[in-house]
Amino acid sequence: GAGVSQSPSNKVTEKGKDVELRCDPISGHTALYWYRQRLGQGLEFLIYFQGNSAPDKSGLPSDRFSAERTGESVSTLTIQRTQQEDSAVYLCASSLSLGRDYEQYFGPGTRLTVT
Amino acid sequence: TQLLEQSPQFLSIQEGENLTVYCNSSSVFSSLQWYRQEPGEGPVLLVTVVTGGEVKKLKRLTFQFGDARKDSSLHITAAQPGDTGLYLCAGAQPGGTSYGKLTFGQGTILTVHP
């Protein structure tokens, strides 16, 4: 079946503009995660959803970042008034349910460049 | 905040050599996962270790979880060019509202030369 898909694959934007990143999880997966990855580094947790509820938003870097999820389907990560330090790859993952026993399947990411 | 220190950050070796990557923390994790990531792709899970002292083998890869569940290692025997990539360790939070949340190490970029 289809894996996790993300769009766009690449996004170049000017500083100060808003951007919206989209994630389509694997069908039937109730948990969805957003991570940020700077070049050649590990992943930084941003937020996760169980269904359309986000119990832990502690990883969002600032109030310019927000995320929502419609039911157990698509999620969007919105960055307002983008800054150059927002440049990174934004990765989305989904899992069948929440918890350590459920493998997270990652999408290919959206590479965001803020000029 | 739970942190995972991964070392070394870079590793460049010749085909056939052995190597070990370490992942250390002062915090306890409910499980520890190892991922491999290729350029332009998301990480792919290699293994999950759950029990303190657990050892898992995946062909030429051996994964170990520390007795106290605070550290882990990945050992590759007779490395091949196809092993080249970014290796990431990730610890799962024990519980609460962060249940299932993964904390990642900084990654090890492995290059195996023919």
Side-chain angles (χ1 to χ4, degrees):
Chain A
V4 177
S5 61
Q6 292 186 245
S7 61
S9 55
N10 282 283
K11 177 71 177 178
V12 180
T13 189
E14 293 180 351
K15 178 182 172 181
K17 301 276 184 157
D18 297 352
V19 294
E20 191 172 276
L21 312 179
R22 176 186 169 108
C23 173
D24 282 90
I26 293 172
S27 178
H29 280 195
T30 63
L32 184 148
Y33 311 79
W34 282 100
Y35 296 90
R36 178 169 70 180
Q37 185 175 32
R38 293 204 162 94
L39 186 62
Q41 296 190 16
L43 279 66
E44 175 188 4
F45 168 81
L46 298 179
I47 189 171
Y48 80 83
F49 290 88
Q50 175 64 13
N52 61 7
S53 172
D56 185 357
K57 300 180 181 179
S58 62
L60 293 176
S62 74
D63 58 7
R64 296 186 295 105
F65 287 71
S66 63
E68 62 178 25
R69 187 180 185 196
T70 306
E72 294 183 351
S73 183
V74 173
S75 176
T76 54
L77 177 68
T78 302
I79 308 174
Q80 295 178 309
R81 305 181 302 281
T82 52
Q83 303 294 313
Q84 288 186 332
E85 62 262 27
D86 299 333
S87 295
V89 175
Y90 289 81
L91 289 158
C92 173
S94 71
S95 61
L96 194 60
S97 186
L98 196 64
R100 73 179 193 189
D101 296 325
Y102 298 97
E103 178 178 350
Q104 294 186 24
Y105 294 84
F106 284 83
T110 293
R111 181 175 298 278
L112 174 66
T113 304
V114 181
T115 61
Chain B
T1 302
Q2 295 186 303
L3 295 174
L4 271 173
E5 297 291 332
Q6 193 171 337
S7 62
Q9 187 177 357
F10 300 96
L11 202 49
S12 181
I13 62 172
Q14 293 297 125
E15 182 176 2
E17 293 183 5
N18 301 332
L19 66 110
T20 302
V21 178
Y22 299 93
C23 191
N24 297 291
S25 176
S26 58
S27 303
V28 175
F29 292 97
S30 64
S31 68
L32 203 296
Q33 300 179 347
W34 286 92
Y35 291 81
R36 180 163 170 256
Q37 186 177 19
E38 305 258 8
E41 298 180 8
V44 175
L45 181 66
L46 296 174
V47 78
T48 300
V49 284
V50 176
T51 307
E54 182 176 4
V55 177
K56 280 191 174 179
K57 293 192 175 183
L58 186 66
K59 297 183 180 178
R60 293 177 293 100
L61 279 60
T62 301
F63 305 86
Q64 186 163 7
F65 202 12
D67 291 341
R69 292 186 290 134
K70 294 181 179 180
D71 55 85
S72 181
S73 64
L74 157 60
H75 183 79
I76 301 179
T77 303
Q80 299 177 359
D83 295 328
T84 294
L86 174 66
Y87 289 82
L88 296 157
C89 64
Q93 302 274 358
T97 57
S98 297
Y99 187 57
K101 170 184 170 182
L102 293 178
T103 299
F104 280 82
Q106 307 96 311
T108 295
I109 298 175
L110 171 65
T111 304
V112 182
H113 301 280

